[in-house]
Amino acid sequence: MKHGMWDREMVALLLLLAMMPLLLAWLGFGGVEAIVRLVLTLVISGLWHMIFMLARAQPPSFAGAVTAVAVAMLAPQDLSMVQLILGVSFGSVMAELVFGGWGRNVLNPATVTLAFLGFGFPAAPWHDFATPVSWAAIASLAVGTVFGVMSARLILGAVAVLVLGFVAGGPLVDVAPMAGIVLALLVADPVASASTRFGAWMNGALYGALVVLFASGWQGAAAAQIAVSAALLASLAAPLLDEVAIALWRARRRKRHG
């Protein structure tokens, strides 16, 4: 379905452009190992998209690259090629392609991939990014907001709760940089996040609250593990939050108009 220039592929392409500050910063610090990891995830995701594209006679899509970038950056370290292939395959197929492709999925396929890898291979250590990479998340969020593919309400809701948690004394110093990266790569996905205005505020606030909760009570968890888990639960709640927002709007309308 198209509305002027705003078709599905344009949105996916703009999301990729918004990810570029983070991706380039990560590649700069990760070097050859990061490049190899990115190429591998792009190939795996691309193959599955190609299979489903041919089976359904659909045109090529940038959506697979969006998933691959997020997985390459956030997946646990020291995974074997087989483990990474299993994770990307499960997330791409079960969280996106079986629903008809990106735009029809309920959860972000990268989030599902990362949850699968985290639960399936718990001994694999999670990434700890260099500070400049974390700062690049701000640029990615800003670009995504300017392009209109990331919700400013969702981002501000998450930031507001994280700031409140920090002021209240929550142990967020080590978690906040990763929370910002995950916010840019996973939570702000326009497909898997709340689509109503109030729902977007609640979606972002829920993500921030979950990060604060997990950071305070999940002993021994890595920052990426905390942020990805919060992203998964926040995405699962997005449809419910939209329903709450719509119900509140209807209640206000009935009260005003009878």
Side-chain angles (χ1 to χ4, degrees):
M1 184 174 184
K2 296 185 178 181
H3 181 69
M5 65 175 286
W6 289 101
D7 62 4
R8 182 180 67 166
E9 294 313 310
M10 177 58 71
V11 173
L13 180 58
L14 291 177
L15 275 176
L16 274 177
L17 291 176
M19 289 178 172
M20 282 301 108
L22 261 173
L23 178 61
L24 293 176
W26 175 68
L27 290 174
F29 280 88
V32 175
E33 182 181 350
I35 294 173
V36 171
R37 189 183 179 97
L38 176 62
V39 170
L40 181 58
T41 57
L42 284 169
V43 169
I44 300 167
S45 180
L47 284 174
W48 280 113
H49 277 77
M50 181 70 69
I51 291 170
F52 277 80
M53 178 192 75
L54 294 174
R56 294 172 173 155
Q58 294 177 336
S61 174
F62 291 108
V66 174
T67 299
V69 168
V71 172
M73 291 185 64
L74 295 173
Q77 303 177 66
D78 301 332
L79 292 172
S80 69
M81 184 179 294
V82 173
Q83 290 170 334
L84 197 56
I85 290 172
L86 285 174
V88 176
S89 299
F90 180 85
S92 296
V93 174
M94 301 307 296
E96 177 186 345
L97 295 172
V98 296
F99 291 97
W102 190 74
R104 300 180 179 91
N105 50 297
V106 178
L107 296 176
N108 184 308
T111 305
V112 174
T113 296
L114 295 167
F116 176 87
L117 292 171
F119 287 120
F121 311 106
W126 291 84
H127 276 291
D128 188 13
F129 290 97
T131 301
V133 179
S134 304
W135 282 110
I138 298 176
S140 287
L141 289 168
V143 172
T145 301
V146 170
F147 283 159
V149 293
M150 294 182 184
S151 169
R153 296 177 180 85
L154 184 149
I155 295 168
L156 291 174
V159 171
V161 172
L162 288 171
V163 170
L164 288 174
F166 180 79
V167 172
L172 298 176
V173 174
D174 295 330
V175 178
M178 184 61 72
I181 292 173
V182 170
L183 178 62
L185 294 178
L186 303 181
V187 183
D189 174 11
V191 175
S193 60
S195 57
T196 58
R197 293 183 177 181
F198 187 57
W201 282 106
M202 292 191 293
N203 205 177
L206 176 60
Y207 169 68
L210 288 170
V211 170
V212 174
L213 175 64
F214 293 158
S216 301
W218 193 348
Q219 300 298 323
Q225 194 173 13
I226 288 172
V228 169
S229 299
L232 176 63
L233 294 177
S235 294
L236 285 169
L240 175 61
L241 297 176
D242 275 335
E243 287 296 322
V244 170
I246 293 170
L248 291 174
W249 177 82
R250 287 176 174 170
R252 289 196 303 269
R253 186 175 178 83
R254 283 196 299 269
K255 184 176 180 181
R256 183 179 307 169
H257 301 287

